[in-house]
Amino acid sequence: MTISSIGTAPGRTHWTPTAPAEERSHWSQIAQDVAQTLAADALERDRANAVPHAEARLLKDSGLVTLLEPAELGGGGGHWSTAFEAVRIIARADASIAQVLAYHYINSTNIVFSVVDPSERERWHRATIDGRWIWGDSVNPTDPDLVLTPVDGGYRLTGTKRYSTGSAVGDVLVVNATIAEGPEAGTVLAFVLENGRKGVEYVDDWDFLGQRLSSSNTVKYHEVLVRPEDVLGALGDEPFSTLVTPGIQLSFGHLYLGIAEGALARGRELTNRRPNAWFLSQAEQYRHDPFVQRLYGELKARTTAVAALAEKVGQRFDEVVALGADVTTEIRGELAVEIAELKVVSSDVATDLTHRIFEATGTSSTASGIGFDLYWRNIRTHSLHDPVDYKKLEVGAHFLNGETQPLSLYT
Protein backbone atom coordinates (compact mmCIF):
# COMPACT_ATOMS: atom_id res chain seq x y z
CA MET A 1 0.00 0.00 0.00
CA THR A 2 1.18 3.53 -0.75
CA ILE A 3 0.83 6.65 1.35
CA SER A 4 -1.61 8.20 -1.15
CA SER A 5 -4.16 5.52 -0.28
CA ILE A 6 -3.88 5.93 3.47
CA GLY A 7 -6.66 7.64 5.41
CA THR A 8 -9.90 9.25 4.33
CA ALA A 9 -9.42 12.91 5.29
CA PRO A 10 -8.61 15.31 2.46
CA GLY A 11 -5.04 16.37 1.97
CA ARG A 12 -2.12 14.64 3.63
CA THR A 13 -3.26 13.31 7.00
CA HIS A 14 -3.53 9.60 7.77
CA TRP A 15 -4.99 10.19 11.24
CA THR A 16 -8.65 9.67 12.09
CA PRO A 17 -10.66 11.68 14.64
CA THR A 18 -11.03 9.13 17.44
CA ALA A 19 -8.60 6.79 19.17
CA PRO A 20 -10.10 3.35 19.95
CA ALA A 21 -10.06 2.28 23.59
CA GLU A 22 -8.00 -0.78 22.69
CA GLU A 23 -5.30 1.43 21.19
CA ARG A 24 -5.12 3.65 24.26
CA SER A 25 -4.93 0.64 26.56
CA HIS A 26 -2.22 -1.07 24.52
CA TRP A 27 0.14 1.90 24.33
CA SER A 28 -0.55 3.00 27.89
CA GLN A 29 0.63 -0.37 29.15
CA ILE A 30 3.79 -0.13 27.07
CA ALA A 31 4.44 3.39 28.41
CA GLN A 32 3.89 2.18 31.97
CA ASP A 33 6.43 -0.60 31.46
CA VAL A 34 8.97 1.92 30.15
CA ALA A 35 8.20 4.27 33.05
CA GLN A 36 8.73 1.48 35.57
CA THR A 37 12.14 0.72 34.10
CA LEU A 38 13.12 4.40 34.12
CA ALA A 39 11.87 4.94 37.67
CA ALA A 40 14.28 2.36 39.08
CA ASP A 41 17.29 4.65 38.74
CA ALA A 42 15.90 8.02 37.65
CA LEU A 43 17.71 9.96 40.37
CA GLU A 44 21.07 8.27 39.76
CA ARG A 45 20.87 8.91 36.02
CA ASP A 46 19.88 12.52 36.59
CA ARG A 47 22.90 13.09 38.81
CA ALA A 48 25.25 11.38 36.35
CA ASN A 49 24.00 13.77 33.64
CA ALA A 50 25.23 11.48 30.85
CA VAL A 51 23.95 11.52 27.27
CA PRO A 52 20.88 9.24 27.43
CA HIS A 53 21.80 6.67 24.79
CA ALA A 54 20.48 3.71 26.83
CA GLU A 55 17.21 5.53 27.51
CA ALA A 56 16.82 6.28 23.80
CA ARG A 57 17.33 2.58 23.06
CA LEU A 58 14.57 1.76 25.56
CA LEU A 59 12.15 4.03 23.69
CA LYS A 60 13.09 2.37 20.40
CA ASP A 61 12.79 -1.18 21.71
CA SER A 62 9.38 -0.46 23.22
CA GLY A 63 7.97 0.60 19.85
CA LEU A 64 6.83 3.97 21.20
CA VAL A 65 8.92 5.85 18.65
CA THR A 66 6.73 4.65 15.76
CA LEU A 67 3.39 4.99 17.57
CA LEU A 68 2.17 7.80 15.28
CA GLU A 69 3.45 6.28 12.03
CA PRO A 70 0.95 4.80 9.53
CA ALA A 71 0.03 1.21 10.32
CA GLU A 72 -0.20 0.44 6.60
CA LEU A 73 3.55 1.06 6.35
CA GLY A 74 4.48 -0.87 9.48
CA GLY A 75 4.03 1.86 12.08
CA GLY A 76 1.93 1.87 15.23
CA GLY A 77 -1.07 3.54 13.63
CA GLY A 78 -1.77 5.48 16.82
CA HIS A 79 -3.46 8.81 17.49
CA TRP A 80 -2.09 12.00 19.00
CA SER A 81 -4.12 11.65 22.18
CA THR A 82 -2.52 8.24 22.69
CA ALA A 83 0.96 9.67 22.11
CA PHE A 84 0.34 12.52 24.56
CA GLU A 85 -0.81 10.02 27.17
CA ALA A 86 2.40 8.03 26.70
CA VAL A 87 4.41 11.22 27.30
CA ARG A 88 2.39 11.95 30.44
CA ILE A 89 2.90 8.42 31.83
CA ILE A 90 6.66 8.47 31.27
CA ALA A 91 6.94 11.99 32.73
CA ARG A 92 5.69 10.62 36.05
CA ALA A 93 8.95 8.67 36.26
CA ASP A 94 11.45 10.59 34.13
CA ALA A 95 10.45 13.92 32.65
CA SER A 96 13.69 14.25 30.69
CA ILE A 97 13.05 11.12 28.65
CA ALA A 98 9.38 12.08 28.30
CA GLN A 99 10.59 15.34 26.75
CA VAL A 100 12.78 13.48 24.27
CA LEU A 101 9.77 11.36 23.26
CA ALA A 102 7.41 14.34 23.03
CA TYR A 103 9.77 16.30 20.81
CA HIS A 104 10.37 13.20 18.70
CA TYR A 105 6.65 12.93 18.01
CA ILE A 106 6.44 16.56 16.93
CA ASN A 107 9.65 16.47 14.92
CA SER A 108 8.89 13.25 13.07
CA THR A 109 5.38 14.34 12.13
CA ASN A 110 6.85 17.19 10.13
CA ILE A 111 6.68 14.45 7.50
CA VAL A 112 2.92 15.00 7.49
CA PHE A 113 2.78 18.71 8.25
CA SER A 114 5.57 19.88 5.92
CA VAL A 115 5.76 17.39 3.04
CA VAL A 116 3.17 17.76 0.28
CA ASP A 117 4.28 15.06 -2.19
CA PRO A 118 2.76 11.66 -1.18
CA SER A 119 5.75 9.70 -2.50
CA GLU A 120 8.12 11.84 -0.45
CA ARG A 121 6.01 11.36 2.67
CA GLU A 122 6.11 7.62 2.12
CA ARG A 123 9.90 7.71 1.76
CA TRP A 124 10.31 9.51 5.09
CA HIS A 125 7.75 7.32 6.88
CA ARG A 126 9.40 4.12 5.71
CA ALA A 127 12.86 5.29 6.74
CA THR A 128 11.57 6.30 10.18
CA ILE A 129 9.74 3.02 10.72
CA ASP A 130 12.45 0.73 9.34
CA GLY A 131 15.21 2.50 11.29
CA ARG A 132 13.09 3.11 14.41
CA TRP A 133 14.45 6.62 14.21
CA ILE A 134 14.35 9.12 17.03
CA TRP A 135 13.96 12.62 15.62
CA GLY A 136 15.78 15.40 17.47
CA ASP A 137 15.51 19.06 16.54
CA SER A 138 17.54 22.21 16.04
CA VAL A 139 14.90 24.88 15.51
CA ASN A 140 15.04 27.20 18.54
CA PRO A 141 13.65 30.47 17.09
CA THR A 142 15.15 32.70 19.79
CA ASP A 143 18.65 32.08 18.43
CA PRO A 144 19.80 33.94 15.31
CA ASP A 145 18.71 32.07 12.21
CA LEU A 146 20.96 29.46 10.72
CA VAL A 147 22.05 30.41 7.23
CA LEU A 148 21.68 28.39 4.04
CA THR A 149 23.85 29.49 1.15
CA PRO A 150 22.93 28.06 -2.28
CA VAL A 151 25.71 25.96 -3.85
CA ASP A 152 25.92 23.32 -6.54
CA GLY A 153 24.09 20.26 -5.24
CA GLY A 154 22.00 22.11 -2.66
CA TYR A 155 22.98 24.48 0.16
CA ARG A 156 25.74 25.05 2.69
CA LEU A 157 24.54 25.39 6.29
CA THR A 158 26.39 27.50 8.84
CA GLY A 159 25.60 28.77 12.32
CA THR A 160 24.78 27.66 15.86
CA LYS A 161 21.60 26.55 17.64
CA ARG A 162 21.17 26.15 21.37
CA TYR A 163 18.47 24.05 23.06
CA SER A 164 18.48 21.37 20.37
CA THR A 165 16.44 18.73 22.19
CA GLY A 166 17.27 15.11 21.47
CA SER A 167 20.10 16.11 19.17
CA ALA A 168 22.84 13.95 20.65
CA VAL A 169 20.69 10.80 20.76
CA GLY A 170 18.54 11.41 17.70
CA ASP A 171 19.07 9.33 14.59
CA VAL A 172 18.16 12.45 12.65
CA LEU A 173 17.74 16.16 13.31
CA VAL A 174 15.03 18.36 11.86
CA VAL A 175 16.58 21.79 11.28
CA ASN A 176 15.08 25.15 10.27
CA ALA A 177 17.30 27.63 8.44
CA THR A 178 16.91 30.71 6.23
CA ILE A 179 18.10 30.87 2.63
CA ALA A 180 20.53 33.79 2.53
CA GLU A 181 20.61 34.77 -1.15
CA GLY A 182 19.24 34.10 -4.60
CA PRO A 183 15.62 33.98 -5.80
CA GLU A 184 14.51 32.13 -2.62
CA ALA A 185 16.25 34.51 -0.20
CA GLY A 186 14.35 34.82 3.08
CA THR A 187 12.60 31.46 2.75
CA VAL A 188 12.88 29.24 5.82
CA LEU A 189 13.40 25.57 4.98
CA ALA A 190 12.80 22.58 7.20
CA PHE A 191 15.21 19.75 6.43
CA VAL A 192 16.65 16.59 7.96
CA LEU A 193 20.26 15.67 8.73
CA GLU A 194 21.29 12.22 9.86
CA ASN A 195 23.38 11.88 13.01
CA GLY A 196 27.02 12.12 12.02
CA ARG A 197 26.56 14.29 8.94
CA LYS A 198 29.90 15.88 8.11
CA GLY A 199 30.27 19.34 9.64
CA VAL A 200 27.67 18.85 12.39
CA GLU A 201 29.17 19.36 15.86
CA TYR A 202 27.25 18.30 18.97
CA VAL A 203 28.39 20.42 21.91
CA ASP A 204 28.06 18.67 25.28
CA ASP A 205 26.93 21.77 27.20
CA TRP A 206 23.52 20.79 28.59
CA ASP A 207 24.10 21.13 32.37
CA PHE A 208 20.98 22.76 33.78
CA LEU A 209 18.89 22.68 36.95
CA GLY A 210 16.42 20.14 35.57
CA GLN A 211 15.51 18.10 32.48
CA ARG A 212 19.16 17.11 32.53
CA LEU A 213 18.79 14.04 30.30
CA SER A 214 16.78 15.74 27.56
CA SER A 215 19.88 16.04 25.37
CA SER A 216 19.04 19.71 24.73
CA ASN A 217 22.59 20.75 23.95
CA THR A 218 24.00 23.22 21.44
CA VAL A 219 24.69 22.16 17.85
CA LYS A 220 27.15 23.95 15.58
CA TYR A 221 27.07 23.68 11.79
CA HIS A 222 30.29 24.05 9.86
CA GLU A 223 29.66 24.30 6.11
CA VAL A 224 27.26 21.36 6.19
CA LEU A 225 26.01 20.20 2.80
CA VAL A 226 22.19 20.12 2.66
CA ARG A 227 20.98 18.17 -0.36
CA PRO A 228 17.61 18.58 -2.09
CA GLU A 229 16.52 15.16 -0.83
CA ASP A 230 17.09 16.33 2.76
CA VAL A 231 14.44 19.04 2.47
CA LEU A 232 10.97 18.50 3.94
CA GLY A 233 9.56 21.82 2.77
CA ALA A 234 9.37 25.56 3.33
CA LEU A 235 7.74 27.00 6.44
CA GLY A 236 4.57 28.90 5.65
CA ASP A 237 1.22 29.93 7.11
CA GLU A 238 -1.03 27.24 5.62
CA PRO A 239 -3.13 26.29 8.70
CA PHE A 240 -2.62 22.51 8.64
CA SER A 241 1.15 22.78 8.33
CA THR A 242 1.30 25.13 11.33
CA LEU A 243 -0.31 22.60 13.69
CA VAL A 244 3.24 21.64 14.68
CA THR A 245 3.29 24.52 17.17
CA PRO A 246 -0.01 23.78 18.95
CA GLY A 247 1.14 20.16 19.01
CA ILE A 248 4.36 20.88 20.87
CA GLN A 249 2.55 23.19 23.29
CA LEU A 250 0.01 20.44 23.97
CA SER A 251 2.81 17.98 24.64
CA PHE A 252 4.14 20.46 27.23
CA GLY A 253 0.79 20.37 29.02
CA HIS A 254 0.95 16.58 29.26
CA LEU A 255 4.60 16.69 30.30
CA TYR A 256 3.80 19.07 33.17
CA LEU A 257 0.76 17.04 34.20
CA GLY A 258 2.89 13.89 34.32
CA ILE A 259 5.45 15.61 36.53
CA ALA A 260 2.69 16.71 38.92
CA GLU A 261 1.19 13.20 39.03
CA GLY A 262 4.61 11.66 39.64
CA ALA A 263 5.37 14.05 42.49
CA LEU A 264 1.94 13.46 44.01
CA ALA A 265 2.39 9.67 43.97
CA ARG A 266 5.89 9.88 45.40
CA GLY A 267 4.73 12.36 48.03
CA ARG A 268 1.99 10.00 49.17
CA GLU A 269 4.56 7.23 49.52
CA LEU A 270 6.87 9.43 51.60
CA THR A 271 4.03 10.75 53.79
CA ASN A 272 2.68 7.28 54.50
CA ARG A 273 6.17 6.20 55.59
CA ARG A 274 6.44 8.99 58.17
CA PRO A 275 6.05 7.71 61.74
CA ASN A 276 4.08 9.43 64.47
CA ALA A 277 2.75 12.96 63.81
CA TRP A 278 3.54 16.52 64.78
CA PHE A 279 3.54 16.73 68.59
CA LEU A 280 0.68 19.25 68.66
CA SER A 281 -1.50 17.11 66.41
CA GLN A 282 -4.28 14.95 67.77
CA ALA A 283 -3.52 12.36 65.08
CA GLU A 284 -1.15 9.48 65.67
CA GLN A 285 0.43 9.56 62.20
CA TYR A 286 1.08 12.31 59.66
CA ARG A 287 -1.22 10.70 57.11
CA HIS A 288 -4.11 11.11 59.55
CA ASP A 289 -3.32 14.74 60.36
CA PRO A 290 -6.16 16.97 59.02
CA PHE A 291 -3.74 19.63 57.78
CA VAL A 292 -1.81 17.03 55.77
CA GLN A 293 -5.02 15.57 54.39
CA ARG A 294 -6.27 19.03 53.48
CA LEU A 295 -3.09 19.80 51.54
CA TYR A 296 -3.23 16.53 49.63
CA GLY A 297 -6.93 17.04 48.96
CA GLU A 298 -6.24 20.41 47.35
CA LEU A 299 -3.27 19.20 45.30
CA LYS A 300 -5.04 16.03 44.15
CA ALA A 301 -8.20 17.87 43.14
CA ARG A 302 -6.29 20.46 41.12
CA THR A 303 -4.25 17.78 39.38
CA THR A 304 -7.38 15.80 38.54
CA ALA A 305 -8.92 18.93 37.02
CA VAL A 306 -5.86 19.47 34.82
CA ALA A 307 -6.03 15.82 33.74
CA ALA A 308 -9.65 16.25 32.65
CA LEU A 309 -8.73 19.31 30.57
CA ALA A 310 -5.73 17.53 29.07
CA GLU A 311 -7.93 14.62 28.00
CA LYS A 312 -10.47 16.97 26.42
CA VAL A 313 -7.89 19.01 24.51
CA GLY A 314 -6.03 15.90 23.38
CA GLN A 315 -9.21 14.55 21.82
CA ARG A 316 -9.84 17.91 20.19
CA PHE A 317 -6.34 17.81 18.66
CA ASP A 318 -7.15 14.40 17.15
CA GLU A 319 -10.28 15.84 15.57
CA VAL A 320 -8.50 18.86 14.09
CA VAL A 321 -5.52 16.93 12.74
CA ALA A 322 -7.89 14.49 11.05
CA LEU A 323 -9.30 17.38 8.98
CA GLY A 324 -6.07 17.60 7.00
CA ALA A 325 -6.17 20.36 4.40
CA ASP A 326 -9.64 21.35 5.61
CA VAL A 327 -8.16 22.94 8.73
CA THR A 328 -8.95 26.66 8.59
CA THR A 329 -7.21 29.61 10.19
CA GLU A 330 -10.17 29.95 12.57
CA ILE A 331 -10.08 26.29 13.63
CA ARG A 332 -6.34 26.45 14.14
CA GLY A 333 -6.64 29.64 16.19
CA GLU A 334 -9.37 28.27 18.45
CA LEU A 335 -7.35 25.11 19.05
CA ALA A 336 -4.24 27.12 19.96
CA VAL A 337 -6.23 29.03 22.61
CA GLU A 338 -7.59 25.81 24.12
CA ILE A 339 -4.05 24.45 24.32
CA ALA A 340 -2.82 27.70 25.85
CA GLU A 341 -5.42 27.28 28.60
CA LEU A 342 -3.99 23.85 29.38
CA LYS A 343 -0.45 25.23 29.28
CA VAL A 344 -1.36 27.88 31.87
CA VAL A 345 -3.02 25.59 34.39
CA SER A 346 -0.66 22.63 33.97
CA SER A 347 2.39 24.83 34.41
CA ASP A 348 0.99 26.65 37.43
CA VAL A 349 -0.35 23.51 39.14
CA ALA A 350 2.81 21.46 38.62
CA THR A 351 5.13 24.25 39.76
CA ASP A 352 3.02 24.92 42.85
CA LEU A 353 2.50 21.25 43.70
CA THR A 354 6.15 20.23 43.47
CA HIS A 355 7.01 23.09 45.83
CA ARG A 356 4.23 22.85 48.42
CA ILE A 357 4.13 19.07 48.73
CA PHE A 358 7.25 19.28 50.92
CA GLU A 359 4.96 20.70 53.61
CA ALA A 360 3.42 17.23 53.90
CA THR A 361 6.49 15.08 53.30
CA GLY A 362 8.55 16.96 55.86
CA THR A 363 12.20 17.60 56.57
CA SER A 364 13.26 14.01 55.97
CA SER A 365 12.11 14.26 52.34
CA THR A 366 14.72 16.94 51.67
CA ALA A 367 17.55 14.46 52.26
CA SER A 368 19.89 14.24 49.31
CA GLY A 369 19.39 10.49 49.04
CA ILE A 370 15.64 10.90 48.57
CA GLY A 371 16.00 13.26 45.62
CA PHE A 372 12.44 14.54 45.93
CA ASP A 373 13.55 17.86 44.46
CA LEU A 374 13.83 16.22 41.02
CA TYR A 375 10.18 16.93 40.18
CA TRP A 376 10.45 20.62 41.08
CA ARG A 377 13.75 21.02 39.24
CA ASN A 378 12.26 19.48 36.10
CA ILE A 379 9.06 21.53 35.98
CA ARG A 380 10.86 24.72 37.00
CA THR A 381 13.34 24.29 34.15
CA HIS A 382 10.97 23.35 31.35
CA SER A 383 8.16 25.72 32.34
CA LEU A 384 10.53 28.56 31.40
CA HIS A 385 10.65 27.29 27.78
CA ASP A 386 8.37 30.20 26.89
CA PRO A 387 6.88 32.62 29.44
CA VAL A 388 3.51 31.38 30.69
CA ASP A 389 2.41 35.01 31.09
CA TYR A 390 2.21 35.23 27.31
CA LYS A 391 -0.05 32.19 27.27
CA LYS A 392 -2.29 33.91 29.81
CA LEU A 393 -2.29 36.97 27.56
CA GLU A 394 -3.18 34.75 24.60
CA VAL A 395 -6.18 33.33 26.44
CA GLY A 396 -7.28 36.70 27.78
CA ALA A 397 -6.99 38.52 24.45
CA HIS A 398 -9.12 35.87 22.80
CA PHE A 399 -11.71 35.86 25.59
CA LEU A 400 -12.08 39.66 25.65
CA ASN A 401 -11.60 40.59 22.01
CA GLY A 402 -11.68 37.42 19.94
CA GLU A 403 -8.03 37.97 19.03
CA THR A 404 -5.56 35.22 18.15
CA GLN A 405 -1.80 35.60 18.31
CA PRO A 406 0.37 35.92 15.19
CA LEU A 407 1.85 32.68 13.91
CA SER A 408 5.24 31.73 15.29
CA LEU A 409 7.03 28.67 16.62
CA TYR A 410 5.59 29.55 20.04
CA THR A 411 1.97 30.45 19.14
Side-chain angles (χ1 to χ4, degrees):
M1 181 173 290
T2 63
I3 197 75
S4 59
S5 63
I6 294 174
T8 58
R12 308 214 298 268
T13 186
H14 63 274
W15 294 298
T16 57
T18 306
E22 297 81 3
E23 173 194 313
R24 298 285 293 273
S25 176
H26 170 75
W27 289 108
S28 291
Q29 185 58 58
I30 291 174
Q32 287 167 17
D33 291 343
V34 171
Q36 184 175 5
T37 299
L38 292 169
D41 59 353
L43 180 60
E44 292 81 2
R45 290 183 293 102
D46 172 81
R47 289 176 174 171
N49 196 24
V51 178
H53 291 295
E55 294 87 340
R57 175 58 58 185
L58 179 62
L59 295 178
K60 287 169 173 269
D61 291 345
S62 72
L64 284 170
V65 294
T66 58
L67 185 160
L68 286 171
E69 298 294 318
E72 292 83 352
L73 300 180
H79 290 69
W80 280 96
S81 57
T82 304
F84 291 135
E85 186 172 6
V87 169
R88 169 184 168 187
I89 290 169
I90 292 175
R92 296 169 186 164
D94 190 329
S96 291
I97 306 308
Q99 181 183 341
V100 171
L101 182 63
Y103 283 50
H104 158 75
Y105 286 141
I106 297 299
N107 296 330
S108 62
T109 50
N110 274 282
I111 298 170
V112 179
F113 293 128
S114 298
V115 181
V116 176
D117 183 356
S119 64
E120 282 296 293
R121 291 204 306 277
E122 181 172 344
R123 175 173 72 88
W124 286 112
H125 281 306
R126 289 192 183 278
T128 300
I129 294 166
D130 293 345
R132 291 185 301 173
W133 282 354
I134 288 179
W135 287 56
D137 70 60
S138 196
V139 300
N140 170 27
T142 62
D143 267 353
D145 287 340
L146 300 177
V147 175
L148 286 169
T149 304
V151 297
D152 289 340
Y155 306 91
R156 289 288 179 185
L157 172 67
T158 58
T160 299
K161 279 288 184 185
R162 300 172 300 156
Y163 306 116
S164 297
T165 294
S167 55
V169 297
D171 298 278
V172 293
L173 274 179
V174 61
V175 184
N176 292 348
T178 304
I179 299 175
E181 57 189 54
E184 297 179 301
T187 300
V188 180
L189 293 184
F191 51 92
V192 178
L193 303 175
E194 77 280 4
N195 195 311
R197 176 72 66 94
K198 183 179 179 181
V200 179
E201 177 188 358
Y202 303 93
V203 182
D204 188 11
D205 61 352
W206 183 250
D207 187 14
F208 281 59
L209 179 71
Q211 295 300 101
R212 303 186 74 206
L213 300 187
S214 63
S215 185
S216 297
N217 47 278
T218 296
V219 181
K220 294 182 178 181
Y221 300 93
H222 308 283
E223 298 292 323
V224 179
L225 176 62
V226 178
R227 304 170 302 228
E229 59 266 30
D230 299 326
V231 176
L232 295 172
L235 300 189
D237 58 4
E238 185 266 326
F240 178 73
S241 68
T242 66
L243 289 176
V244 169
T245 299
I248 193 64
Q249 291 289 326
L250 183 48
S251 76
F252 293 170
H254 284 78
L255 179 72
Y256 301 163
L257 173 59
I259 293 173
E261 291 174 331
L264 198 58
R266 179 65 170 146
R268 178 176 58 188
E269 177 187 337
L270 293 171
T271 299
N272 285 343
R273 277 169 35 187
R274 295 184 74 185
N276 307 319
W278 184 242
F279 74 98
L280 293 176
S281 175
Q282 296 182 5
E284 292 186 0
Q285 293 178 301
Y286 279 98
R287 63 194 178 100
H288 295 303
D289 187 294
F291 291 109
V292 173
Q293 292 179 345
R294 179 194 178 282
L295 176 59
Y296 273 107
E298 176 189 346
L299 298 179
K300 178 63 169 65
R302 293 175 67 196
T303 304
T304 300
V306 175
L309 181 59
E311 180 76 14
K312 174 186 174 184
V313 181
Q315 291 175 357
R316 178 61 180 151
F317 194 82
D318 278 343
E319 295 168 359
V320 171
V321 168
L323 293 174
D326 284 347
V327 175
T328 65
T329 300
E330 291 73 24
I331 291 173
R332 195 268 188 201
E334 292 283 347
L335 177 65
V337 171
E338 292 181 57
I339 292 171
E341 291 173 345
L342 175 63
K343 175 73 177 293
V344 168
V345 296
S346 62
S347 175
D348 286 354
V349 167
T351 304
D352 182 60
L353 183 153
T354 55
H355 163 66
R356 291 176 59 208
I357 199 168
F358 281 97
E359 297 168 17
T361 56
T363 305
S364 59
S365 68
T366 66
S368 180
I370 299 293
F372 196 43
D373 62 312
L374 179 60
Y375 301 98
W376 179 84
R377 289 191 289 107
N378 283 338
I379 180 61
R380 182 67 284 173
T381 298
H382 198 281
S383 63
L384 302 175
H385 178 278
D386 53 305
V388 73
D389 277 343
Y390 282 89
K391 290 300 173 189
K392 294 175 181 177
L393 182 150
E394 186 173 342
V395 173
H398 183 267
F399 179 69
L400 290 173
N401 307 313
E403 299 173 2
T404 55
Q405 300 303 300
L407 290 178
S408 75
L409 289 180
Y410 287 106
T411 58

